[in-house]
Amino acid sequence: METLVRIAEGLGRFSARFVPSAFAIAVLLSLLTMGLALGWGGAAPDQVLGAWGGGFWELLTFSMQMALVMFTGYLLALTAPVRWVLEKLAGLAKSPRGAVAWMAFVSMALAYINWGLSLVASAMLVRFMVRRRPDVDYRLLVACAYFGLGATWHSGLSASAPLLVATPGHFLEKQLGVLPIDRTLFSAFNVGLTVAVVAGMTLLAWALHPKPERTVRVEPALLEKLGDFVPPERPKEKGLAVWLDHARLLNLVFGVLGLAWFARHLVLNGGWRAINLNVVNFLFLVLAVLLHGTPARLLKASEEAGSVLHGIVLQFPLYAGIYGIFKATGLTDLIGDAFVSLSTRETFPAIVYLYSGVVNYFVPSGGSKWAIEAPYLLNAASTLGVEPEKVVLAYAWGDMATDLIQPFWALPLLAVARLEFKDILGFLLLAFLLYLPFVTVAFFLFG
């Protein structure tokens, strides 16, 4: 374990020195794509510039969908019933080893439901659990709270790529059609692999907990700094406006209507096969409105939830510009041909999995990366005779694999936990080194 800690610290120093911010990476990738279009693709400078600027606005619907994934998950995590559930979950841990294993399982289960919910709810659960189990290793507990972002989110109900291709009108519909989720998320392969990974990662968390004399416990003063969401107080003034903002009537009406629409949608469109990105976002928004109870509480929670959206709003137009260059200059066909030359029909899913993982470490954004990579990956798959659902799943699993050792999505969790990424990287690195080959072999067999 001491060797692992030294490796983690070295990797943390390397990342701090050489890996820039996510926005800087997006700008560098834009310049790299322009260079490829000019040099490799032979496009004219004016064509490249026009494709880049025009592409900024081609993915506005998709950008809003991704923003709502995060926003609705955050809103739901701030509701009183979800908080109550998290407190009860924290009380189920009866030992330090049981606490970290339970934390890992809950994190992965929440991420399967919604990755935005997992980010926030797992951070809240860390606080509740460490108050009940101060003898747990705090570093490992926080690391396990991040397992869901690296192990289950892109195989679950908020998976951006599989849900997007199941949504009518998505930007690849002319090329791909609409792929229902029974061919991706609810396929036997995806469900089986998810169950195996969750079981393995939970057991690993249990085994990683250090002995009592080596346990790093949370500092008592730190717990006092972890603030909770405080609902707004009802003003002393009286009147129709105050009553409406602090009464449950409007939220209840909205929630009932939303749940009625959701049930109707499932009945009229084939049950669970009708679930897509828009439907998931709609359901979580309806639940958040219903569970917050009043407009005033919902609005205050939305102010906090909106604070995490700046990365999506700032970066997604840049990735849309990159997508515009790929689409307009022929880079899609060139890269697709390169993939065909390196792959066979049997090995293509595993190669896509590994490739997606490498790119994800430097571009940690599952949605925007799919917009860039999907056209040439699907072209290559078509040439090789690989089913498109295999490409979608391989991309999805690879996209989340390197999240385990990438700090981008861990920032909200680390902000709540008051830790640095290097504090938890050792545990995450070991999990990654065991997880990666297992899933790689699975995709070789899948091919």
Side-chain angles (χ1 to χ4, degrees), residues 255-269 271-272 274-276 278-280 282-284 286:
V256 170
L257 289 174
L259 292 178
W261 179 90
F262 178 73
R264 177 182 180 275
H265 176 77
L266 295 185
V267 170
L268 297 179
N269 294 279
W272 55 266
I275 296 176
N276 56 50
N278 291 336
V279 173
V280 169
F282 179 86
L283 178 61
F284 275 83
V286 168

Side-chain angles (χ1 to χ4, degrees), residues 30-295:
S30 299
L31 297 175
L32 176 61
T33 306
M34 290 178 179
L36 288 174
L38 292 169
W40 190 18
D46 183 68
Q47 180 189 8
V48 173
L49 185 62
W52 175 68
F56 262 57
W57 318 119
E58 291 198 22
L59 301 177
L60 287 179
T61 300
F62 180 51
S63 300
M64 187 62 176
Q65 288 171 328
M66 292 297 101
L68 283 172
V69 168
M70 187 66 180
F71 182 75
T72 57
Y74 203 123
L75 273 182
L76 195 56
L78 295 178
T79 62
V82 172
R83 176 192 171 91
W84 179 85
V85 170
L86 292 174
E87 289 180 330
K88 293 298 182 182
L89 290 175
L92 296 177
K94 305 303 180 183
S95 68
R97 286 187 183 274
V100 294
W102 184 232
M103 182 74 253
F105 177 82
V106 172
S107 171
M108 290 184 284
L110 289 173
Y112 184 86
I113 297 172
N114 181 277
W115 61 267
L117 176 64
S118 179
L119 277 176
V120 182
S122 295
M124 295 170 65
L125 184 57
V126 164
R127 181 170 67 248
F128 298 144
M129 192 170 288
V130 78
R131 286 173 178 169
R132 292 175 177 267
R133 301 292 328 179
D135 53 346
V136 72
D137 190 288
Y138 188 54
R139 304 165 305 166
L140 179 57
L141 185 68
V142 175
C144 291
Y146 192 50
F147 275 12
L149 268 290
T152 57
W153 85 264
H154 218 151
S155 68
L157 300 181
S158 65
S160 55
L163 286 180
L164 181 69
V165 298
T167 303
H170 67 87
F171 71 97
L172 293 169
E173 185 173 7
K174 292 183 179 179
Q175 177 184 2
L176 181 63
V178 175
L179 282 181
I181 56 176
D182 62 333
R183 293 173 59 182
T184 54
L185 297 180
F186 292 155
S187 66
F189 172 83
N190 189 66
V191 172
L193 184 57
T194 301
V195 171
V197 166
V198 169
M201 296 284 276
T202 302
L203 290 174
L204 177 64
W206 183 88
L208 278 178
H209 197 281
K211 297 179 180 179
E213 61 270 18
R214 297 173 58 187
T215 297
V216 177
R217 295 175 173 83
V218 65
E219 297 179 5
L222 179 59
L223 290 177
E224 299 179 3
K225 298 180 181 179
L226 304 179
D228 296 325
F229 171 70
V230 180
E233 296 183 359
R234 182 165 184 158
K236 296 181 180 179
E237 297 84 1
K238 295 183 179 180
L240 179 62
V242 172
W243 181 81
L244 286 174
D245 284 340
H246 292 270
R248 294 181 176 273
L249 176 63
L250 294 180
N251 287 51
L252 181 61
V253 170
F254 182 93
V256 170
L257 289 174
L259 292 178
W261 179 90
F262 178 73
R264 177 182 180 275
H265 176 77
L266 295 185
V267 170
L268 297 179
N269 294 279
W272 55 266
R273 288 170 57 97
I275 296 176
N276 56 50
L277 196 57
N278 291 336
V279 173
V280 169
N281 282 338
F282 179 86
L283 178 61
F284 275 83
L285 179 60
V286 168
L287 291 176
V289 171
L290 195 60
L291 295 179
H292 272 294
T294 68

Side-chain angles (χ1 to χ4, degrees), residues 260-397:
W261 179 90
F262 178 73
R264 177 182 180 275
H265 176 77
L266 295 185
V267 170
L268 297 179
N269 294 279
W272 55 266
R273 288 170 57 97
I275 296 176
N276 56 50
L277 196 57
N278 291 336
V279 173
V280 169
N281 282 338
F282 179 86
L283 178 61
F284 275 83
L285 179 60
V286 168
L287 291 176
V289 171
L290 195 60
L291 295 179
H292 272 294
T294 68
R297 181 186 173 103
L298 178 71
L299 290 174
K300 185 172 182 180
S302 69
E303 292 178 4
E304 185 171 333
S307 65
V308 301
L309 301 181
H310 58 276
I312 292 176
V313 175
L314 180 62
Q315 295 172 50
F316 268 47
L318 274 72
Y319 290 118
I322 295 173
Y323 167 71
I325 297 173
F326 271 95
K327 181 179 178 182
T329 62
L331 281 179
T332 297
D333 294 333
L334 291 173
I335 296 178
D337 292 341
F339 262 85
V340 171
S341 67
L342 294 173
S343 309
T344 66
R345 185 175 185 272
E346 291 75 21
T347 62
F348 189 71
I351 289 177
V352 170
Y353 168 71
L354 295 172
Y355 163 81
S356 180
V358 171
V359 176
N360 178 70
Y361 187 79
F362 297 99
V363 192
S365 178
S368 56
K369 264 187 352 81
W370 173 247
I372 297 169
E373 299 168 31
Y376 59 78
L377 291 177
L378 291 170
N379 280 352
S382 177
T383 302
L384 292 169
V386 178
E387 295 87 342
E389 56 265 33
K390 292 186 177 183
V391 178
V392 174
L393 286 177
Y395 166 85
W397 278 86

